């Protein structure tokens, strides 16, 4: 009881996967996956009504502005887009969100964060990639720092993480660095995902009210 009505009997959009399958592969219960589907349907039809989340719809969900491009958001979209076909399907949405669940393995969160910073997908984080991400995050926080301060932050962070001194951070160095500085992946946990059946329906209802007022 308490779950959404089963969606399995309806004609489903491309990329739909059964909640019981997704629940078996993620920290979410079947009820929580069904609640996520309600959110997914709204996001995936916010601009293009095809039941798939496009980059612009992802931007709109994060920033309320489909035209506000951001490196951080682009990287998360790319990592959610597991099939690399330019859209986020429902299964990809649930599996990727699962990494942000409080009960998800720390190793999975650490690996996701590594891929987030590995902009050029070389298997290493280079200094310039770290700087690009720092700049993007500062831009989102509206925190203004001088160029010298930014360079100092990047130099200190990179120097501490690159223990081999070869000018790049590999996955083992990253794991060791995160273990010493767990705040680096603090944003990889979204506490409300533990109570998804209550959190997201209220989000959907509130969004619909806001839309109607526009």
């Amino acid at each position: 009881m308490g779950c959404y009505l089963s969606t399995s009997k309806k004609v489903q959009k491309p990329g739909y996967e059964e909640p019981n399958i997704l629940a078996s592969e993620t920290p979410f219960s079947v009820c929580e996956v069904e609640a996520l589907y309600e959110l997914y349907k709204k996001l995936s039809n916010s601009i293009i009504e095809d039941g798939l989340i496009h980059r612009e719809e992802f931007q709109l969900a994060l920033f309320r502005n489909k035209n506000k491009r951001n490196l951080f958001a682009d990287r998360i979209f790319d990592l959610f887009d597991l099939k690399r076909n330019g859209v986020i399907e429902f299964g990809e949405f649930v599996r990727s969100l699962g990494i942000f669940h409080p009960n998800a393995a720390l190793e999975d969160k650490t690996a996701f964060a590594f891929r987030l910073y590995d902009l050029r997908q070389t298997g290493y984080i280079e200094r310039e990639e770290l700087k690009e991400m720092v700049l993007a995050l500062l831009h989102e926080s509206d925190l203004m720092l001088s160029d010298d301060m930014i360079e100092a932050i990047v130099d200190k962070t990179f120097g501490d993480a690159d223990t081999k001194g070869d000018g790049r951070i590999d996955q083992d160095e990253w794991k060791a660095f995160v273990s010493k500085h767990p705040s680096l992946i603090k944003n990889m946990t979204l506490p409300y995902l533990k109570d998804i059946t209550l959190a997201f329906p209220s989000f959907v209802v509130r969004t619909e009210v806001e839309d109607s007022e526009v």
Side-chain angles (χ1 to χ4, degrees), residues 24-201:
S24 70
E25 298 177 4
T26 67
F28 299 114
S29 68
V30 172
C31 288
E32 290 169 336
V33 173
E34 290 177 354
L36 279 175
Y37 187 58
E38 296 303 310
L39 172 64
Y40 178 85
K41 284 192 297 184
K42 181 159 186 67
L43 296 183
S44 62
N45 291 292
S46 60
I47 298 176
I48 303 171
E49 296 186 10
D50 61 356
L52 300 167
I53 297 179
H54 294 255
R55 192 177 297 271
E56 296 83 1
E57 292 170 322
F58 199 69
Q59 292 281 153
L60 182 62
L62 289 180
F63 300 120
R64 292 289 186 181
N65 185 342
K66 66 181 180 180
N67 297 316
K68 184 178 180 181
R69 298 300 297 273
N70 172 271
L71 176 62
F72 184 69
D74 277 344
R75 286 299 298 144
I76 294 180
F77 180 91
D78 291 340
L79 293 178
F80 271 49
D81 179 16
L82 301 173
K83 295 181 180 178
R84 298 187 180 181
N85 58 356
V87 294
I88 299 173
E89 300 176 0
F90 179 56
E92 295 174 319
F93 183 69
V94 175
R95 289 187 179 90
S96 297
L97 267 184
I99 296 172
F100 292 81
H101 194 284
N103 294 341
L106 180 62
E107 293 80 5
D108 292 340
K109 297 177 184 291
T110 302
F112 188 95
F114 182 87
R115 295 197 300 273
L116 190 66
Y117 282 84
D118 180 17
L119 301 177
R120 294 162 186 79
Q121 302 172 45
T122 60
Y124 300 93
I125 299 173
E126 299 178 357
R127 186 188 182 282
E128 192 58 33
E129 292 173 318
L130 178 63
K131 182 179 178 180
E132 286 181 47
M133 285 299 293
V134 167
L135 288 172
L137 293 170
L138 286 174
H139 178 72
E140 281 312 306
S141 67
D142 293 324
L143 185 62
M144 301 297 294
L145 296 178
S146 67
D147 290 344
D148 288 345
M149 181 67 74
I150 292 172
E151 290 293 337
I153 291 172
V154 173
D155 283 342
K156 177 71 167 70
T157 302
F158 199 84
D160 289 348
D162 179 24
T163 55
K164 296 177 183 176
D166 58 1
R168 59 188 186 180
I169 303 169
D170 62 29
Q171 294 191 41
D172 289 336
E173 289 173 317
W174 176 253
K175 290 177 184 176
F177 188 60
V178 168
S179 69
K180 294 178 182 177
H181 306 279
S183 61
L184 281 168
I185 59 170
K186 182 179 179 181
N187 291 338
M188 295 299 301
T189 297
L190 302 177
Y192 63 78
L193 290 181
K194 253 192 168 179
D195 200 12
I196 199 78
T197 52
L198 293 178
F200 277 119

Side-chain angles (χ1 to χ4, degrees), residues 5-21:
L5 293 175
S6 174
T7 54
S8 59
K9 296 180 180 179
K10 301 176 183 178
V11 177
Q12 302 300 344
K13 298 290 185 180
Y16 177 81
E17 295 184 43
E18 291 295 334
N20 61 323
I21 295 175

